[in-house]
Amino acid sequence: MSTTPTTRLILETLLPHLKVAATYAKFLQPKIAALPAKEQGKNFFAAALTDADVAIQNLIEVVLLATFPEIRFYGEEYESSNNTKYFRAIELGSEGDYLVTLDPIDGTKFYMDGHSNYQIILSILNSDDFEAVLAISPAENVYFYAFRGEGAFKGTLEMSLEACAPLHITSAKPSILLGWGMNSVAPLLKDQYQIIDIATDYSSDIQIPNLNGILSGDLSGAVIKSGKFIDSAALAFIAKEAGWIVTTLDGSPLPPLHTCKNYSLPGLIIAVSKSVHQDLLKAMQSVAI
């Protein structure tokens, strides 16, 4: 009977290949041509798809099938991949039967428009919670990672996991990111914070913070309508391991992953401190009333 690989072994094995993917993504960015948009309604961020998304996912799929052939894997571009059918499963498993997920280019719209704050995000999920997340920022030559209960770490792409330093965000800009569909809370927060509404403030010419700004100090908090396992929930996990407060929109603890649907947690409040969390929670409660 095969033994499930440890989360650290999975990340250590994939990290060199993810670094190759990061170099490829950085090289390709100025040359990229968008493929036909995915069907995702009016959300132009979710609809963006590039050659880099598909190629990076194919690379990681090949490595996983060659190295950990029994692993569960769900990649964002699973519908476009010829490798999906070769994985044992794409859903969450039972306790200890890990699911590896990949967002090959998180922030594809940012990427297509030449901005630097896109990421490659790989996660390892257990039935109840994340076990590990690794997020690479190719254009900024940095990556972040966290193992469950072990804190969060940051390093340059030249560093091994062991060489990275603990991630401590000592100060953060008084900016709050509102995810798609969360603009109703903006009026309740604008007197205390700079509000960045992703749906209305995005610009192809001027870079605004993406959700990964919670890891760089560019944000003090964020309110997200749905925490997708492959991206926003994964970044929230790193933030939580770094000491941030992460709850649902009503202030409740996050539910077990296996109780969620469509590879998504419910809406998230992500805050650098208790005071910021209370401000965001109060705004959400006022909107609900």
Side-chain angles (χ1 to χ4, degrees):
M1 182 177 179
S2 61
T3 303
T4 301
T6 66
T7 53
R8 185 168 289 273
L9 177 60
I10 294 172
L11 283 198
E12 287 177 342
T13 301
L14 294 177
L15 182 57
H17 304 283
L18 288 165
K19 290 180 178 181
V20 170
T23 303
Y24 165 81
K26 186 176 180 180
F27 165 78
L28 207 64
Q29 187 178 21
K31 310 174 187 299
I32 201 69
L35 295 176
K38 295 177 289 186
E39 295 296 327
Q40 294 285 350
K42 296 181 180 180
N43 186 337
F44 53 83
F45 292 101
L49 173 65
T50 71
D51 294 332
D53 293 89
V54 177
I56 290 172
Q57 180 163 319
N58 285 342
L59 170 62
I60 300 307
E61 287 171 336
V62 169
V63 176
L64 282 172
L65 287 169
T67 313
F68 307 114
E70 295 302 313
I71 203 78
R72 294 170 177 264
F73 176 75
Y74 173 76
E76 183 181 30
E77 312 307 335
Y78 73 96
E79 292 179 323
S80 304
S81 172
N82 292 325
N83 294 311
T84 299
K85 58 183 173 289
Y86 298 115
F87 285 97
R88 178 165 61 91
I90 64 172
E91 303 87 9
L92 284 173
S94 57
E95 180 70 22
D97 187 4
Y98 301 141
L99 171 70
V100 175
T101 67
L102 177 71
D103 190 342
I105 297 287
D106 174 53
T108 307
K109 181 63 174 171
F110 288 82
Y111 179 70
M112 291 168 59
D113 288 334
H115 300 319
S116 65
N117 54 350
Y118 63 92
Q119 290 191 311
I120 300 170
I121 304 176
L122 183 130
S123 305
I124 304 172
L125 284 60
N126 213 332
S127 62
D128 63 335
D129 201 355
F130 287 83
E131 292 290 343
V133 174
L134 188 149
I136 295 179
S137 298
E140 298 169 0
N141 195 46
V142 68
Y143 74 98
F144 305 86
Y145 76 89
F147 287 103
R148 186 175 182 176
E150 298 183 20
F153 298 82
K154 175 183 178 180
T156 66
L157 291 181
E158 294 76 26
M159 294 179 176
S160 65
L161 293 178
E162 292 74 17
C164 293
L167 175 62
H168 298 300
I169 302 171
T170 56
S171 62
K173 296 178 181 178
S175 299
I176 303 297
L177 180 71
L178 301 182
W180 198 270
M182 302 307 298
N183 59 311
S184 59
V185 301
L188 303 172
L189 297 168
K190 65 180 182 179
D191 292 338
Q192 297 169 274
Y193 302 97
Q194 176 189 5
I195 303 303
I196 303 167
D197 182 352
I198 197 73
T200 59
D201 293 334
Y202 182 82
S203 168
S204 298
D205 302 316
I206 301 173
Q207 180 171 304
I208 64 170
N210 198 358
L211 183 60
N212 55 29
I214 60 178
L215 305 179
S216 62
D218 287 332
L219 298 172
S220 290
V223 183
I224 307 299
K225 187 174 183 179
S226 178
K228 294 170 63 178
F229 291 173
I230 62 170
D231 47 41
S232 54
L235 295 175
F237 171 78
I238 297 179
K240 186 177 180 181
E241 287 291 330
W244 284 48
I245 299 170
V246 181
T247 68
T248 63
L249 295 179
D250 65 3
S252 302
L254 302 186
L257 299 183
H258 66 81
T259 66
C260 302
K261 297 180 180 180
N262 300 322
Y263 300 91
S264 297
L265 285 165
L268 300 177
I269 294 176
I270 308 168
V272 70
S273 65
K274 290 182 179 178
S275 60
V276 174
H277 181 265
Q278 283 300 114
D279 290 340
L280 300 183
L281 179 60
K282 183 179 178 181
M284 285 304 307
Q285 290 172 337
S286 297
V287 169
I289 292 173

